[in-house]
Amino acid sequence: MSEIIFDAAVTLNGYLADENHSLQWLFEVPGAHEPDPDLLPRNVGVHVEGASTYLWLLEHERFIENPHKWQDYYPGITTYVFTSRELPIPEGADVRLVNGPVAGLLPQIRGAAGEKNIWVLGGGELLGQFLDIDAIDTLALTVAPAALAGGAQLLPRNIGSDRLELAEARPAGPFARLVYRVRRAS
């Protein structure tokens, strides 16, 4: 059976993006442009992300103008974007714009993934919804040597240490890699 993995880079003080929903802070860290492939989830069939993450990726990578790049980066991967807006989709990309609570859409997402893993990319509220329904198996963080004064929080929820079991902690270039197995709520 597939796993649902939240895997993202985060600042030392727990932000995924700055106040403008930008990840540019991450790409200012030496080595961030060529991430260690061992840091990325394997056997991924579905990406799940919020509108801000999706729009930043579209703009940063210029996917609308260069739709072939989408296929190069995400071959055979279905992307679910949680949004209440109509958003542009790169030509030929399997991007599904969805609206509503994660709980109601999870069967559809699991069906699209089949036996492959589901990678939740962000943001924090989306992660929170997955945690609320006990649907995250692994929480993986690549902690950057950077801090932001504000922005998008990693997780705007309380989650106790009784739910997180440390599976890995190691250096990864200038980053620290932390991986937790997530226990089901009691």
Side-chain angles (χ1 to χ4, degrees):
M1 183 160 161
S2 65
E3 280 196 321
I4 300 179
I5 302 160
F6 179 88
D7 195 330
V10 63
T11 64
L12 285 171
N13 56 341
Y15 289 102
L16 295 165
D18 69 16
E19 297 95 340
N20 299 314
H21 305 289
S22 174
L23 303 175
Q24 190 56 45
W25 65 268
L26 173 60
F27 294 97
E28 292 170 0
V29 177
H33 286 281
E34 296 87 30
D36 180 345
D38 289 335
L39 296 179
L40 303 176
R42 300 194 189 288
N43 192 33
V44 173
V46 170
H47 285 166
V48 179
E49 54 201 64
S52 295
T53 301
Y54 175 73
L55 286 171
W56 190 87
L57 287 169
L58 283 183
E59 181 180 314
H60 185 264
E61 295 297 334
R62 304 184 56 83
F63 284 133
I64 297 300
E65 300 89 320
N66 303 290
H68 66 279
K69 283 178 66 177
W70 184 277
Q71 299 306 324
D72 293 342
Y73 284 31
Y74 312 121
I77 295 176
T78 300
T79 300
Y80 282 83
V81 179
F82 280 76
T83 183
S84 59
R85 303 176 278 170
E86 285 297 317
L87 302 175
I89 298 173
E91 184 180 328
D94 185 3
V95 175
R96 301 172 190 188
L97 305 177
V98 296
N99 186 5
V102 168
L105 292 160
L106 190 55
Q108 178 183 340
I109 293 168
R110 284 191 187 278
E115 294 298 314
K116 293 190 173 188
N117 293 325
I118 298 164
W119 180 4
V120 180
L121 299 164
E125 179 58 34
L126 193 58
L127 168 59
Q129 285 191 47
F130 274 89
L131 285 167
D132 289 347
I133 61 170
D134 278 335
I136 291 287
D137 300 297
T138 299
L139 176 65
L141 304 174
T142 302
V143 182
L148 295 172
Q153 295 177 351
L154 168 63
L155 183 60
R157 302 272 198 293
N158 292 329
I159 181 169
S161 61
D162 59 324
R163 299 227 15 233
L164 300 173
E165 177 184 346
L166 183 63
E168 178 184 342
R170 67 177 174 93
F175 300 92
R177 180 69 169 171
L178 300 172
V179 179
Y180 294 90
R181 297 296 298 164
V182 180
R183 295 184 184 113
R184 302 293 176 229
S186 305

